[in-house]
Amino acid sequence: MPVGRYPVPFDRDVAVELLRQMLRIRRFEEACAEQYGLGNIRGFLHLYIGQEAVAAGVVPLLGPEDSLVATYREHGHALVRGVAARSLMAEMFGRATGCCRGRGGSMHLFDAATRFYGGNAIVGGGLPLAVGLALAAKRSGRAGIVACFFGEGAMAEGAFHESANLAALWRVPALFVCENNRYAMGTALERSQARTDLCGHAAAYGLSTRSADGMDVVAVRETAEAAVTEVRAGTPCFLELQTYRFRAHSMFDPELYRERAEVEAWRARGPLHTYTDRLKAQGLYGEAEFLALDAEVAAEVRAAVAYAASAPTEPATELLRDVTVAA
Amino acid sequence: MSARQTYRDALREAHRSALGGDPRVLLIGEDVGRYGGSYAVSRGLLDEFGPDRIVDAPLSELGFVGAGVGAALGGLRPIVEIMTVNFSLLALDPIVNTAASLRHMSGGQFHVPLVIRMATGAGRQLAAQHSHSLEGWYAHVPGLRVLAPATVDDARGMLGAALDDPDPVVIFEHAQLYNVDGTLTAPGGDPDIAHARVRRPGGDVTLVTWGGMLPRTLAAAAELAEAGVDAAVVDLRVLRPLDMATVYESVRRTRRAVLVDESWRSGGFAAELSARLMECAFYDLDAPVERVATAEVPIPYARQLEEAALPQVASIVAAARRCLGGSA
Ligand SMILES: Cc1ncc(C[n+]2csc(CCOP(=O)(O)OP(=O)(O)O)c2C)c(N)n1
Ligand SMILES: [Mg+2]
């Protein structure tokens, strides 16, 4: 299936911004993989490569008053949300100047300034959190919605079903963004859900539902725009974006559960190059401009790595800070 | 069998013989089949035993652990694998409220021959949601048997014995042990699920531990030996029901005890051990019992912070020296 059958309908600024954000995620993730290989990033590292169109298409629709909740595969969301690349990279290096002072690492990125509520590594754990944040936003009379990102695997957890019902019951301004990349570690969707039509699950609880090709950043943005509008008007929504992760689940995954050919077929639909090709074909963007953008993004990532590498480590004497409020 | 094998391989062998020996046995868990097990314990078992015996479950801990309880009740002998102890918190209800209670609250009519296995413990920079040591919580609950295999013999031998137990058994496999290798002392490993073992005899101080802390406690004993201190190491192996006789026996000889526990100090399992020593071995002690436990903090990611949070060889040695009153 080709990606994006119609011309890119946005003005040039928006069109290029989508590309820039996807490229930032891609280059950042490639740097993470490299730094993991060098031993500078440790623990579990879950790469987002292949799914960039989701974060790039959805996150910029959120304003400063809105909140985000994400999973352990959240580098891209944090980056697009505006958490500085160097602060994210320093966190992954376990440094004192990382966004969580080195306490969280790759799976637990948090940033209060941008209302980025993590970084939740218990599958499904972010969903009830989002319902509560949305309830708080609604009760405080403050403008603001909550976007909650999660994988399709989380939809087998009771937390999804309870949260979907609560959100609909209480009519809180929550946007549930399901990144359906077809696998939960090694478990394909068909082997984890008797009913694979994910919108059907959400609709059963009274959520408004939409679905789009998650490889097409244009479709993602347009569909998310409609969903966000609806959520702002008070109706909780569920958005399914069909995507694919190109890399292993984490750095420990031998990938015994899928065929190379399947991965290759999805790579051919990669969100970054298909979109770049479309922009070029439409004459919206030239090769020279692309190279300049790529160089700019590469410089940002290089600077982030350099910053992280020379950042101070937290002394062990600080171990016990931030467990509860300081006395 | 005298070849060296890893703890992981010993566990896999234990599964293979349990599955081969009893058609009622099945393994249920996330990614135990196609993926090969998140810690590769079950790699190859799907091909060997097929999807009716090696059952991949969706991300539904409460559901499939609860279903394991029901399946055990219905006559099967399920082994339910939970990826990590932190995720078992989603299934505490069927474990504590149902499996552990059923025999008693049914007046002895029903029992739950279920085995639940899970990885536990820190040390791999996996941060606060993948690193905790909660086996002491489970050991708090009457109706459960709680095992902590720390050697290849125990990895090989305990599973079969757990399946033979008519009541629910929870097995904690420390994530840092999977790659540790050793040699089986008997072909089927050690099938005892009732007793502690003295892993190293010694006359000066008794170091008591279990699970993932055993290797570093043995390392601490070796370091103490170089300084002329003869430390005994007792591996509890079974946290519930607790075999204190073996501990008392050693403490009676050494008159000093150091408890090494990877969980948090407050309310940790070592607190229970210490209380029992007070109750039953007070007059055998020449010094206050020492505890080496994890700092009271969710496990942090950064390496130096995680190391500072956890018991280390040096902190065990220091505790033993304190216990010996500086005489070493
Ligand atoms: C409650 C819980 N169970 C199991 C895991 C281990 N685990 C981490 S990610 C994952 C797969 C999740 O798949 P999905 O929700 O589709 O997200 P994806 O990884 O594909 O982005 C699993 C099983 C976990 N972190 N939390
Ligand atoms: Mg998935």
Side-chain angles (χ1 to χ4, degrees), chain A:
Chain A
M1 195 174 57
V3 178
R5 258 166 283 182
Y6 47 93
V8 174
F10 308 125
D11 66 39
R12 193 173 182 283
D13 285 354
V14 172
V16 172
E17 183 58 12
L18 291 173
L19 175 62
R20 193 176 78 88
Q21 294 296 2
M22 288 200 289
L23 201 54
R24 286 180 75 221
I25 301 175
R26 178 68 58 95
R27 297 293 177 248
F28 186 84
E29 295 287 72
E30 286 166 351
C32 289
E34 189 185 343
Q35 294 305 317
Y36 196 90
L38 295 171
N40 292 325
I41 298 176
R42 304 176 66 93
F44 285 159
L45 176 70
H46 304 87
L47 297 177
Y48 194 57
I49 292 178
Q51 301 181 213
E52 294 92 340
V54 175
V58 178
V59 175
L61 299 171
L62 304 170
E65 69 288 1
D66 299 325
S67 303
L68 272 87
V69 178
T71 69
Y72 47 85
R73 199 183 296 288
E74 85 287 37
H75 311 159
H77 309 78
L79 207 52
V80 179
R81 180 59 175 171
V83 188
R86 61 183 203 168
S87 151
L88 297 174
M89 193 60 86
E91 183 58 32
M92 290 192 232
F93 274 53
R95 301 302 168 101
T97 51
C99 57
C100 302
R101 305 188 66 96
R103 301 310 200 279
S106 159
M107 293 195 286
H108 305 296
L109 303 171
F110 291 84
D111 184 56
T114 58
R115 297 185 190 276
F116 190 80
Y117 291 92
N120 298 281
I122 299 299
V123 171
L127 288 148
L129 203 66
V131 173
L133 284 163
L135 178 68
K138 181 178 172 177
R139 283 293 161 80
S140 68
R142 201 175 60 221
I145 68 169
V146 182
C148 179
F149 294 83
F150 54 96
E152 86 298 336
M155 289 186 62
E157 294 282 9
F160 170 78
H161 298 271
E162 298 182 23
S163 301
N165 180 51
L166 287 175
L169 186 69
W170 294 342
R171 287 191 66 80
V172 297
L175 173 64
F176 297 103
V177 185
C178 175
E179 302 198 38
N180 177 7
N181 64 8
R182 287 160 196 258
Y183 290 91
M185 277 183 67
T187 303
L189 178 62
E190 310 78 72
R191 291 187 304 109
S192 77
Q193 291 289 354
R195 176 180 185 180
T196 55
D197 142 41
L198 298 177
C199 285
H201 290 259
Y205 294 103
L207 296 176
S208 165
T209 66
R210 285 187 171 74
S211 165
D213 180 358
M215 289 302 185
D216 177 4
V217 72
V218 176
V220 171
R221 179 161 170 120
E222 286 187 326
T223 314
E225 221 159 9
V228 166
T229 304
E230 211 177 343
V231 176
R232 291 204 193 284
T235 303
C237 286
F238 175 88
L239 180 58
E240 179 204 8
L241 299 169
Q242 291 156 0
T243 180
Y244 201 81
R245 73 171 149 71
F246 294 168
R247 300 289 185 102
H249 166 75
S250 73
M251 307 310 270
F252 294 103
D253 170 9
E255 290 191 78
L256 305 173
Y257 50 84
R258 61 183 189 182
E259 302 293 333
R260 276 238 70 77
E262 179 186 300
V263 181
E264 288 315 315
W266 277 93
R267 275 184 190 274
R269 305 189 72 246
L272 188 54
H273 77 264
T274 56
Y275 183 66
T276 310
D277 290 349
R278 281 162 79 192
L279 291 183
K280 285 181 185 166
Q282 265 178 254
L284 269 177
Y285 214 56
E287 177 65 12
E289 288 165 303
F290 179 82
L291 292 176
L293 179 68
D294 201 14
E296 174 200 315
V297 167
E300 180 192 8
V301 172
R302 242 192 339 270
V305 171
Y307 174 84
S310 62
T313 52
E314 184 98 320
T317 47
E318 292 293 294
L319 175 65
L320 297 179
R321 66 173 284 163
D322 296 326
V323 177
T324 49
V325 70

Side-chain angles (χ1 to χ4, degrees), chain B residues 87 91 98 115 182 201 203 214 276 278 296 306:
Chain B
F87 314 156
T98 308
V115 174
L214 180 63
R276 294 202 190 201
M278 290 292 286
E296 313 254 340
E306 184 182 42

